Amino acid sequence: MSSLSQSPTNSQLIGKYRLVRELGDGAFGAVWAAIDTDNGNEVAIKVVHRERMNDSETTHLLREVRSAGQLSHPNIVAVREVGKSGDQQYIVSDLVDGISLSAWLKRYTCEIPQAARWAAILGHALQHAHEAGIVHRDLKPGNIMVDVQGSLHVMD
Protein backbone atom coordinates (compact mmCIF):
# COMPACT_ATOMS: atom_id res chain seq x y z
CA MET A 1 0.00 0.00 0.00
CA SER A 2 1.61 3.20 -1.06
CA SER A 3 -0.08 5.59 1.34
CA LEU A 4 -1.85 4.31 4.41
CA SER A 5 -3.18 7.76 5.22
CA GLN A 6 -5.57 7.46 2.28
CA SER A 7 -8.67 5.28 2.46
CA PRO A 8 -7.68 1.67 1.84
CA THR A 9 -9.00 -0.31 -1.10
CA ASN A 10 -9.49 -4.01 -1.87
CA SER A 11 -6.36 -6.16 -2.08
CA GLN A 12 -4.22 -3.68 -0.16
CA LEU A 13 -2.21 -4.73 2.86
CA ILE A 14 -2.39 -3.23 6.31
CA GLY A 15 0.20 -4.95 8.42
CA LYS A 16 -0.06 -8.64 7.56
CA TYR A 17 -3.75 -8.34 6.57
CA ARG A 18 -4.98 -8.26 2.97
CA LEU A 19 -8.22 -6.33 2.68
CA VAL A 20 -10.98 -8.23 0.88
CA ARG A 21 -14.19 -6.20 1.11
CA GLU A 22 -15.49 -3.27 3.09
CA LEU A 23 -18.17 -4.26 5.59
CA GLY A 24 -19.11 -0.86 6.97
CA ASP A 25 -17.99 2.59 7.95
CA GLY A 26 -18.55 4.08 11.38
CA ALA A 27 -17.54 7.07 13.42
CA PHE A 28 -14.15 5.64 14.40
CA GLY A 29 -13.20 3.64 11.35
CA ALA A 30 -13.99 1.58 8.29
CA VAL A 31 -14.43 -2.15 8.90
CA TRP A 32 -13.13 -4.63 6.36
CA ALA A 33 -13.13 -8.37 5.95
CA ALA A 34 -9.47 -9.28 5.57
CA ILE A 35 -7.20 -12.28 5.26
CA ASP A 36 -4.38 -12.87 7.73
CA THR A 37 -1.52 -13.60 5.32
CA ASP A 38 0.31 -15.65 7.98
CA ASN A 39 -2.39 -18.30 8.38
CA GLY A 40 -5.09 -17.58 5.77
CA ASN A 41 -7.80 -16.92 8.38
CA GLU A 42 -10.51 -14.39 7.62
CA VAL A 43 -10.78 -11.61 10.19
CA ALA A 44 -12.43 -8.23 10.60
CA ILE A 45 -10.13 -5.22 10.62
CA LYS A 46 -11.18 -1.73 11.62
CA VAL A 47 -8.99 0.91 10.01
CA VAL A 48 -9.11 3.93 12.32
CA HIS A 49 -10.23 7.22 10.75
CA ARG A 50 -7.31 9.45 11.67
CA GLU A 51 -8.96 12.46 10.07
CA ARG A 52 -12.00 12.18 12.36
CA MET A 53 -10.13 11.87 15.66
CA ASN A 54 -7.31 13.77 17.32
CA ASP A 55 -4.29 11.99 18.84
CA SER A 56 -5.81 12.01 22.33
CA GLU A 57 -9.07 10.43 21.11
CA THR A 58 -7.15 7.81 19.13
CA THR A 59 -4.97 6.94 22.13
CA HIS A 60 -8.05 6.65 24.37
CA LEU A 61 -9.89 4.46 21.83
CA LEU A 62 -6.94 2.09 21.41
CA ARG A 63 -6.44 1.84 25.19
CA GLU A 64 -10.10 0.83 25.58
CA VAL A 65 -9.81 -1.69 22.75
CA ARG A 66 -6.70 -3.25 24.30
CA SER A 67 -8.61 -3.62 27.59
CA ALA A 68 -11.56 -5.21 25.79
CA GLY A 69 -9.09 -7.56 24.08
CA GLN A 70 -8.61 -9.27 27.46
CA LEU A 71 -12.24 -10.44 27.45
CA SER A 72 -13.16 -13.99 26.56
CA HIS A 73 -16.90 -14.57 26.25
CA PRO A 74 -18.88 -16.40 23.54
CA ASN A 75 -21.16 -13.39 23.00
CA ILE A 76 -18.43 -10.74 22.80
CA VAL A 77 -16.47 -10.36 19.56
CA ALA A 78 -12.86 -11.14 20.40
CA VAL A 79 -10.21 -8.50 19.71
CA ARG A 80 -7.11 -10.23 18.32
CA GLU A 81 -4.69 -7.37 17.71
CA VAL A 82 -4.26 -3.63 17.93
CA GLY A 83 -1.59 -2.51 15.52
CA LYS A 84 -0.03 0.21 13.47
CA SER A 85 1.24 0.11 9.90
CA GLY A 86 3.01 3.29 8.94
CA ASP A 87 0.80 6.03 10.32
CA GLN A 88 -2.37 3.91 10.13
CA GLN A 89 -3.83 2.39 13.32
CA TYR A 90 -5.96 -0.74 13.05
CA ILE A 91 -7.91 -3.16 15.22
CA VAL A 92 -8.27 -6.85 14.31
CA SER A 93 -11.13 -8.96 15.64
CA ASP A 94 -12.96 -12.15 14.87
CA LEU A 95 -15.21 -11.91 11.83
CA VAL A 96 -18.84 -12.74 12.60
CA ASP A 97 -20.76 -14.31 9.70
CA GLY A 98 -24.08 -12.54 10.02
CA ILE A 99 -25.80 -9.17 10.12
CA SER A 100 -26.24 -6.44 12.69
CA LEU A 101 -29.21 -6.69 15.04
CA SER A 102 -30.36 -3.41 13.51
CA ALA A 103 -30.52 -5.00 10.03
CA TRP A 104 -32.05 -8.19 11.47
CA LEU A 105 -34.88 -6.23 13.11
CA LYS A 106 -35.70 -4.58 9.76
CA ARG A 107 -36.13 -8.02 8.17
CA TYR A 108 -37.68 -10.12 10.92
CA THR A 109 -40.10 -9.91 13.81
CA CYS A 110 -38.62 -10.53 17.24
CA GLU A 111 -41.21 -12.28 19.38
CA ILE A 112 -41.29 -11.54 23.12
CA PRO A 113 -39.78 -14.90 24.24
CA GLN A 114 -36.86 -14.46 21.84
CA ALA A 115 -36.38 -10.83 22.91
CA ALA A 116 -36.26 -11.98 26.54
CA ARG A 117 -33.68 -14.69 25.74
CA TRP A 118 -31.56 -12.21 23.82
CA ALA A 119 -31.80 -9.63 26.61
CA ALA A 120 -30.54 -12.25 29.09
CA ILE A 121 -27.67 -13.23 26.77
CA LEU A 122 -26.66 -9.60 26.30
CA GLY A 123 -26.95 -9.01 30.05
CA HIS A 124 -24.56 -11.88 30.77
CA ALA A 125 -22.08 -10.64 28.17
CA LEU A 126 -22.17 -7.11 29.57
CA GLN A 127 -21.86 -8.43 33.14
CA HIS A 128 -18.71 -10.30 32.06
CA ALA A 129 -17.28 -7.07 30.65
CA HIS A 130 -18.29 -5.04 33.71
CA GLU A 131 -16.64 -7.55 36.05
CA ALA A 132 -13.43 -6.91 34.09
CA GLY A 133 -13.87 -3.16 34.53
CA ILE A 134 -15.02 -2.52 30.96
CA VAL A 135 -18.16 -0.53 30.17
CA HIS A 136 -19.66 -0.54 26.66
CA ARG A 137 -20.58 3.09 26.09
CA ASP A 138 -22.30 2.67 22.73
CA LEU A 139 -24.51 -0.40 23.02
CA LYS A 140 -27.13 -0.32 20.27
CA PRO A 141 -28.55 -2.75 17.69
CA GLY A 142 -25.92 -1.63 15.16
CA ASN A 143 -23.16 -2.83 17.53
CA ILE A 144 -24.64 -6.29 18.05
CA MET A 145 -24.24 -8.99 15.42
CA VAL A 146 -26.64 -11.88 14.83
CA ASP A 147 -24.68 -14.77 13.34
CA VAL A 148 -26.05 -17.36 10.91
CA GLN A 149 -26.97 -19.65 13.85
CA GLY A 150 -28.95 -16.84 15.52
CA SER A 151 -26.41 -16.17 18.29
CA LEU A 152 -25.67 -12.62 19.41
CA HIS A 153 -22.22 -11.02 19.54
CA VAL A 154 -21.47 -7.63 21.13
CA MET A 155 -18.90 -5.64 19.20
CA ASP A 156 -17.30 -2.17 19.24
Side-chain angles (χ1 to χ4, degrees):
M1 187 161 167
S2 59
S3 174
L4 292 174
S5 61
Q6 297 175 350
S7 295
T9 59
N10 290 1
S11 301
Q12 290 183 312
L13 287 174
I14 294 184
K16 65 178 184 171
Y17 303 96
R18 183 175 48 79
L19 303 182
V20 177
R21 67 188 179 286
E22 189 170 6
L23 301 174
D25 191 17
F28 297 118
V31 180
W32 291 75
I35 300 294
D36 181 331
T37 59
D38 284 350
N39 58 28
N41 290 338
E42 195 170 24
V43 297
I45 182 169
K46 179 179 281 192
V47 181
V48 177
H49 287 311
R50 295 188 53 226
E51 67 279 4
R52 295 186 193 170
M53 298 185 340
N54 63 38
D55 289 343
S56 175
E57 291 170 323
T58 300
T59 299
H60 182 74
L61 169 69
L62 297 177
R63 186 179 316 121
E64 285 185 350
V65 170
R66 283 185 184 97
S67 293
Q70 305 305 309
L71 297 175
S72 178
H73 189 279
N75 300 103
I76 298 175
V77 175
V79 174
R80 299 296 176 195
E81 178 183 343
V82 176
K84 186 173 184 178
S85 181
D87 63 352
Q88 187 65 66
Q89 302 274 357
Y90 61 88
I91 302 159
V92 179
S93 63
D94 288 345
L95 180 66
V96 176
D97 184 12
I99 60 173
S100 71
L101 179 57
S102 179
W104 190 94
L105 290 168
K106 289 177 183 172
R107 294 183 190 175
Y108 306 104
T109 300
C110 187
E111 301 295 333
I112 291 173
Q114 181 177 23
R117 282 191 302 276
W118 279 1
I121 289 167
L122 291 172
H124 287 291
L126 293 173
Q127 178 182 1
H128 177 77
H130 292 177
E131 288 172 353
I134 297 167
V135 177
H136 196 303
R137 295 180 299 152
D138 192 26
L139 188 64
K140 59 187 178 188
N143 287 339
I144 300 167
M145 293 292 291
V146 182
D147 70 20
V148 294
Q149 288 83 29
S151 295
L152 298 180
H153 304 271
V154 177
M155 59 182 187
D156 278 4

